[in-house]
Structures are given as C-alpha cells and as structure tokens.
Amino acid sequence: MKISTFDIQGKKSQVFLTSKHDLAPKQHILDHVLVDHIPSLVGILKDSGLVIKFIRARSWHEYIKLLWNHSRITKEIKGSEILQKLGLTVPKIHEVGFGLVPTKKHEYLGYYIMENLTPSGFQELSKLIKEGAIDESMRGKIMTLVCNGLREMRDSYIVFSDFHLDNVFSDEHGNIAWIDPGVTTYSKFNKKKFIKKFNHSINRFMFYCNDRGNTLTGAETTLFKSLLIQAKN
C-alpha cells in the first residue's frame, strides 16, 4: 500500500490509497488528456507514456459499493482479469488506486494505470471504421474476432454490459485488444437473468453502432444476431 497524488494539467488531485503497483512512473503528472467526460477522465502520464483512467464518483453510493468490491472501478479491474483468463488480449494494468473519502474535493472514485496500446500500432476500432482506414477483408476479419470474443463471454456466462466498438482496439494486422471491460459474471443457476442481460447488451451494441456512425453491414448484423440466446419456455 502507498499514498499517491497526481498533477492533472497543473492542478493537484485528491489523495489515493494505492493497493496494486508493479512499477513507479517517473512522475505522477498528467499533461495530455484524451477523454474528459462525466464517467471518467483518461490521459497519458508524462515521461512514462502510460495511460491513466480516473473513474468519477457520480454519487456517494458508489463509495459504499467500493467497500463491497461492486464499484465501477473494481468491476473494470476484475473484468480485465476475467477476459485475460478467457484468452482475450487486454492492456496490462500496472497500478490501481482508490479515493476513499467522499467529499467535494474528492472528485474521483479511483484510478488505474495501464499499458498504452497506441505505440504498438493499435487504434480504436470505431475510429478505424469511421475513417475508412481498413478494407472490407480486414474489417470482416476483425468483426469475426470481436464476435468470437463475445461468444466466449456468452459461453462463460459473462456480460459486457456497456460494450461498443470504442472498447476494441485493433492494429494493421487485425489483432484486437479489449479495453474498459466492465463485465458481470452470472451463475448457471441464474440463467434466466443472464440471458436477459446478455441479449440486451448485444441489441444495445447493434443499436449503438448504427446510431453513432459505425453502421453494421448486413453480414455483420447477421453475425452479431447469431449471438442472441433464444430463451426456452
């Protein structure tokens, strides 16, 4: 355990209790923000080049969930471990920290520092599709890998509830990696709820693609619809 603070674009962060760390970045300075929205802030740490994701607490209830390991940050950390066990590629997580004092000055629920995929040639799949950066053959290969990954989760009673193409990175060779995996695992004894949640996640993903400019082709729609589970009476 250690205490950590960060310089976020010139402003000092709250104090975090760091529970996992296998390396120490040269400086805890974030000077390049990639995403800054209500759920989180994502950026690149100076000198180390690693990616850091701060999870914002949307209400004090999330601090209660943190104590029982049911918060969004613990869900993403565990999700990464679960997908890795399935044989899926995820960025390596180097450090995890938690903000345990819910006051106005404590904006973040916690953070984690992970491998930066972009120097290895990976980019967001949604961006590659929107910019027409991959040809039809490569797109088909990548989408099949995405579908296969979701099938692996389905067969293991795992739901990636907020899945969309921003959660997949790909390189020029068609290799893929999964990020921000907030997943939920279900018992086989809770199959009815699992089917409902899994089917909802797939239908939501297909709607999200078509609504955000990553329109699925007819073949892709058929591919992902094949994942849907037909509930037995």
Side-chain angles (χ1 to χ4, degrees), residues 2 14 25-26 61 64-65 74 76 79 90 96 101 115-116 124 143 158 169-170 200 220 224 226:
K2 70 173 184 177
Q14 69 197 72
K26 294 179 181 179
H61 297 88
I64 303 300
K65 290 182 179 180
T74 50
E76 290 189 17
V90 295
V96 180
V101 185
E115 172 188 3
N116 188 349
E124 286 181 357
M143 286 300 204
I158 296 167
F169 275 52
S170 179
H200 175 75
E220 289 166 353
F224 289 108
S226 71

Side-chain angles (χ1 to χ4, degrees), residues 79-97:
S80 182
E81 295 171 353
I82 289 169
L83 296 196
Q84 192 170 28
K85 287 179 181 178
L86 287 180
L88 303 178
T89 300
V90 295
K92 181 178 180 180
I93 295 176
H94 295 288
E95 182 170 307
V96 180

Side-chain angles (χ1 to χ4, degrees), residues 23-125:
L23 57 80
K26 294 179 181 179
Q27 296 186 60
H28 276 51
I29 298 175
L30 189 158
D31 60 356
H32 180 49
V33 173
L34 299 172
V35 177
D36 186 1
H37 55 181
I38 293 174
S40 61
L41 183 149
V42 182
I44 298 177
L45 290 172
K46 187 176 181 179
D47 294 341
S48 71
L50 296 173
V51 173
I52 185 166
K53 181 174 183 179
F54 292 96
I55 307 293
R56 286 192 167 98
R58 290 181 284 201
S59 73
W60 65 269
H61 297 88
E62 295 204 62
Y63 286 94
I64 303 300
K65 290 182 179 180
L66 187 64
L67 298 176
W68 277 269
N69 286 328
H70 288 298
S71 69
R72 284 182 294 130
I73 185 168
T74 50
K75 196 173 182 180
E76 290 189 17
I77 300 301
K78 287 185 176 180
S80 182
E81 295 171 353
I82 289 169
L83 296 196
Q84 192 170 28
K85 287 179 181 178
L86 287 180
L88 303 178
T89 300
V90 295
K92 181 178 180 180
I93 295 176
H94 295 288
E95 182 170 307
V96 180
F98 301 94
L100 299 178
V101 185
T103 69
K104 289 183 179 179
K105 292 183 179 180
H106 289 71
E107 181 179 1
Y108 303 107
L109 191 66
Y111 74 89
Y112 58 95
I113 297 174
M114 59 186 154
E115 172 188 3
N116 188 349
L117 296 172
T118 53
S120 301
F122 283 83
Q123 295 185 59
E124 286 181 357
L125 180 54

